[in-house]
Amino acid sequence: MLEVRELQVAYGAIEAVRGVSLTARPGHITALIGANGAGKSSLMRAISGVTRPRSGQILLDGCDITRIPPHERARMGVAHAMEGRRILHQHTVDENLITAWHFRKPQGSFKAARDAVFAHFPILAERANAKAGTLSGGQQQMLILSMATMHAPRLVILDEPSLGLAPIIVTQIFEFIKEYCSVGERAILISEQMANLALKVADYGYVLKHGQLAFEGDSKTLQEGGLAGLSSAYLGGS
Ligand code: ATP
């Protein structure tokens, strides 16, 4: 389980995350909901270790990982698919998968992991030898998700995986996320600007506003609380 306690992230005078506490449980999809600039990416980057928090604590299964470097967190089972499509554009789909696999040095067979990826996303098998930069946005997101999950990490952090994608692709991506989370002790933390999208896939949601938690609750409660109110009050009317 992931536990974040009183986390603060700042860039000079800009306080991006101001004392946020949250948990993400195995078998659950936890959503971070908030408008542009609310602090979602900063919070996620602090959890994976890419950004150093000013204060607060990050615990993974009770172990304090706040000061552990990102590559070690990755080997402890933390995977982070960042916003902005981090893939090797000049390399093929296959090469991207190989790179992602070896970076984590997991046990098990690369071939079996790749077969599982191709079974989930047959289009990636068809395009295995194509340069990743030539894939459509949806195919790139499938590749990113595959790269983040093929070694079966226990905590997967997904920064706006639906951004800019057609609804049918979003549905496919969310189905994959749900299925991934239903196996073993895996937790997913996902960020979304659109509350209605996030609550479709998540079990629990935290709403961030200006770097602080505005409120939290299970998806049903947040939905019953009124998406319209949620959106206009906290998400800038989206
Ligand atoms: P988005 O959906 O646009 O990614 P977000 O909710 O993820 O938004 P953050 O990207 O975490 O929000 O940004 C929170 C605040 O921190 C914003 O005011 C942003 O301008 C600022 N910020 C983010 N990254 C940096 C940085 N590297 N240097 C300075 N300020 C930053």
Side-chain angles (χ1 to χ4, degrees), residues 9-12 14-17 33-45 51 83 159-160 163 191-193 208 210-211:
V9 178
Y11 309 96
I14 300 169
E15 295 183 7
V17 179
I33 304 164
N36 217 337
K40 306 179 297 298
S41 300
S42 300
L43 182 50
M44 290 180 142
R45 287 199 302 262
T51 297
E83 197 186 0
D159 200 350
E160 303 208 35
L163 198 67
S191 73
E192 257 305 332
Q193 290 195 29
L208 271 182
H210 303 320

Side-chain angles (χ1 to χ4, degrees), residues 18-197:
R18 300 186 289 156
V20 170
S21 299
L22 60 81
T23 55
R25 297 171 200 287
H28 282 71
I29 300 174
T30 305
L32 273 181
I33 304 164
N36 217 337
K40 306 179 297 298
S41 300
S42 300
L43 182 50
M44 290 180 142
R45 287 199 302 262
I47 294 169
S48 65
V50 185
T51 297
R52 184 188 278 254
R54 178 168 281 178
S55 62
Q57 265 187 319
I58 303 158
L59 296 106
L60 188 64
D61 292 334
C63 167
D64 189 341
I65 61 166
T66 320
R67 306 270 163 249
I68 291 179
H71 64 277
E72 275 180 37
R73 292 189 209 190
R75 283 176 197 143
M76 290 170 81
V78 178
H80 184 181
M82 282 185 250
E83 197 186 0
R85 313 239 153 88
R86 302 282 176 112
I87 50 173
L88 304 168
H89 287 82
Q90 295 306 318
H91 292 259
T92 67
V93 166
D94 231 4
E95 288 163 350
N96 271 274
L97 292 173
I98 292 168
T99 306
W101 179 260
H102 290 294
F103 170 70
R104 269 103 185 190
K105 299 190 173 43
Q107 294 178 337
S109 136
F110 168 70
K111 188 181 172 309
R114 181 175 54 184
D115 287 349
V117 165
F118 289 166
H120 270 293
F121 297 123
I123 188 68
L124 293 183
E126 278 175 39
R127 308 226 46 203
N129 297 314
K131 290 209 167 137
T134 68
L135 300 181
S136 69
Q139 291 164 3
Q140 289 191 10
Q141 191 55 264
M142 290 172 195
L143 179 57
I144 288 166
L145 267 184
S146 302
M147 290 165 68
T149 56
M150 66 189 301
H151 57 295
R154 58 187 157 148
L155 172 65
V156 182
I157 303 169
L158 302 172
D159 200 350
E160 303 208 35
S162 73
L163 198 67
L165 302 182
I168 185 153
I169 306 290
V170 174
T171 305
Q172 250 180 294
I173 299 277
F174 281 1
E175 281 309 314
F176 176 84
I177 294 170
K178 273 195 219 165
E179 201 180 316
Y180 183 82
C181 195
S182 69
V183 178
E185 295 285 283
R186 297 165 172 180
I188 305 234
L189 184 64
I190 183 173
S191 73
E192 257 305 332
Q193 290 195 29
M194 309 294 274
N196 57 343
L197 264 185

